[in-house]
Amino acid sequence: MATALAVAAGAWHATPASAHAGAHAAAGPRAALSAAFQPLRLGAATTISFAVRIDAAGEAAPTPISRVEVSYPSDLGLATSQLGLADCSPAALLLQGDEACPADSKMGQGTARVEVPFGPEVVSENVALGIFAAPSSDGYVHLAIVAEGKYPVIARIVLAGVLLVGRLRITIPPIATLPGAPYASLVSMRASLGGALTYYEDVHGRSVAYRPRGIGLPESCPRGGWRLGASFAFIDGLSSHATTVVACPRGGGVRQTPVSG
Amino acid sequence: MGTASAGTGQTPTASTVNVKDEGRLRLVKSSGSQLIDEGPATGTIPGTARIVFVYDGNPTMSGQITIYGHGGDIQAHATGRLSSPTSASPSFKGTLTIAGGTGRYAHARGAGQLYGVFYRRSYAITVQTQGTLRY
């Protein structure tokens, strides 16, 4: 694993539209989640964007995270989207970066910010995220998420993710920094699945570019909107949780059953 | 092709048929993790086939299949496991249970196997069923 200061350009002032952020901490640091569907139209394909933030207590960097799990309604069409029509080897991704991956394997992108204390200071680094479909041996859709930072440390790491039913689980390994220094801490992440991606298909012997269909929204919206959550597991055993709701679009289609859970 | 084995003499209206049908289905409608495809069915019971295909990330898909045949409709529930979910055309394989219908198949029962391919670019689905039908 490359030495890394994590990354992230988590523009928190730009809370996605149509989401009401909510947060509460379990035992770990305070966490927040926001989310948006763009476009927000029942039955249409959409891009799902979400942003998470961990607030450190005081001025120290928060305890490093070992796992982030974003939950979403299982009737969203992530698995039936056209995202990830090929897969990318995580090993090749780590070695060569995005260029190692077929265009048709890219599923999304994002940014993150990591922090690491150096003596009395906390140094932060912004990283770019690329989300790719990875090979699957168990029938679930696996993801390889490459995080690349340029300053102050040039580093690249690959995170493993998996789409479970109604959940995206991302495992974060300890991110080493400098000898003797603590692991880097993820403090914020913004990511989107779908969006402006370009795939290619063979049409009569020619490679033709197209935009893959994104994530299908159901034709009805649960009363109160779509509820999403994010849970964070930290390397010290603590955990935090945050929730948010994406409001139903204006005009019909609201399901007449209350949201459970 | 089907093999009818009616006629024990005691239940002259009951038939047991080995069925093998194939449908080449096109997307009619989608809603989140649910796709509805329809198309022609050929084989033992020709007609029009419709599948309500649900794939929510669990490797096991589920489907409600209806074949609109000449003498009535046959309804079945199927589950199958997808392989290679990040390929352009994952295949799936599983089982189906026939659970009634209309017309001459109003009391249909049976079971069998399901094979198919899900074309993620076009959302077309090719599905093959084979099994035993009693009606």
Side-chain angles (χ1 to χ4, degrees):
Chain A
M1 183 68 59
T3 298
L5 259 189
V7 178
W12 291 103
H13 54 280
T15 300
S18 72
H20 309 293
H24 70 269
R30 183 175 176 81
L33 167 70
S34 60
F37 302 157
Q38 181 62 39
L40 182 58
R41 193 165 62 241
L42 296 177
T46 195
T47 297
I48 296 181
S49 302
F50 64 90
V52 297
R53 184 183 64 205
I54 306 296
D55 289 333
E59 296 182 358
T63 304
I65 294 174
S66 59
R67 191 179 70 205
V68 178
E69 196 163 286
V70 177
S71 61
Y72 53 85
S74 62
D75 61 353
L76 296 184
L78 267 80
T80 52
S81 76
Q82 290 178 344
L83 304 177
L85 296 183
D87 56 44
C88 181
S89 158
L93 186 59
L94 178 62
L95 200 62
Q96 302 171 48
D98 292 19
E99 294 180 359
C101 298
D104 294 5
S105 67
K106 189 160 189 181
M107 298 178 68
Q109 56 200 355
T111 57
R113 193 175 81 241
V114 296
E115 291 181 348
V116 60
F118 282 107
E121 288 187 59
V122 174
V123 176
S124 66
E125 179 162 350
N126 293 331
V127 297
L129 304 176
I131 305 172
F132 296 87
S136 172
S137 60
D138 59 7
Y140 289 94
V141 175
H142 286 257
L143 308 179
I145 303 168
V146 63
E148 291 202 71
K150 303 289 187 192
Y151 182 82
V153 175
I154 297 174
R156 177 190 299 145
I157 64 169
V158 174
L159 312 177
V162 60
L163 285 176
L164 304 170
V165 180
R167 284 177 296 154
L168 165 59
R169 177 182 294 169
I170 302 170
T171 303
I172 302 174
I175 303 171
T177 55
L178 298 176
Y183 293 128
S185 301
L186 175 72
V187 294
S188 66
M189 177 171 67
R190 304 176 63 87
S192 60
L193 289 168
L197 302 172
T198 302
Y199 284 15
Y200 297 89
E201 63 183 340
D202 186 272
V203 178
H204 305 305
R206 287 177 43 232
S207 180
V208 176
Y210 70 97
R211 181 171 174 171
R213 188 176 191 272
I215 296 157
L217 286 179
E219 291 191 320
S220 63
C221 180
R223 184 188 299 173
W226 288 282
R227 184 174 297 177
L228 288 84
S231 61
F232 307 87
F234 298 87
I235 62 171
D236 59 5
L238 300 180
S239 62
S240 298
H241 188 72
T243 61
T244 191
V245 173
V246 177
C248 296
R250 292 181 180 177
V254 177
R255 203 178 297 157
Q256 291 305 307
T257 52
V259 177
S260 61
Chain B
M1 287 296 109
T3 304
S5 62
T8 60
Q10 297 173 344
T11 54
T13 59
S15 296
T16 299
V17 180
N18 292 323
V19 295
K20 185 174 181 182
D21 271 51
E22 177 173 316
R24 294 179 179 273
L25 316 180
R26 289 171 172 266
L27 180 70
V28 173
K29 185 177 177 183
S30 68
S31 176
S33 58
Q34 175 182 284
L35 308 175
I36 299 177
D37 279 38
E38 283 185 2
T42 57
T44 313
I45 303 174
T48 298
R50 174 187 176 94
I51 185 169
V52 180
F53 181 90
V54 177
Y55 175 42
D56 59 9
N58 188 320
T60 302
M61 51 67 64
S62 66
Q64 292 287 344
I65 299 172
T66 304
I67 298 177
Y68 301 96
H70 300 304
D73 307 340
I74 298 176
Q75 291 160 4
H77 175 73
T79 59
R81 190 172 178 87
L82 274 89
S83 65
S84 305
T86 52
S87 77
S89 51
S91 60
F92 54 91
K93 176 181 177 184
T95 60
L96 83 161
T97 303
I98 298 169
T102 64
R104 68 191 294 195
Y105 304 114
H107 303 290
R109 289 290 181 271
Q113 284 78 48
L114 172 82
Y115 307 91
V117 179
F118 170 34
Y119 298 95
R120 297 178 60 207
R121 175 70 177 112
S122 64
Y123 291 102
I125 296 173
T126 296
V127 61
Q128 294 180 333
T129 60
Q130 65 179 55
T132 302
L133 167 67
R134 297 186 307 279
Y135 64 97

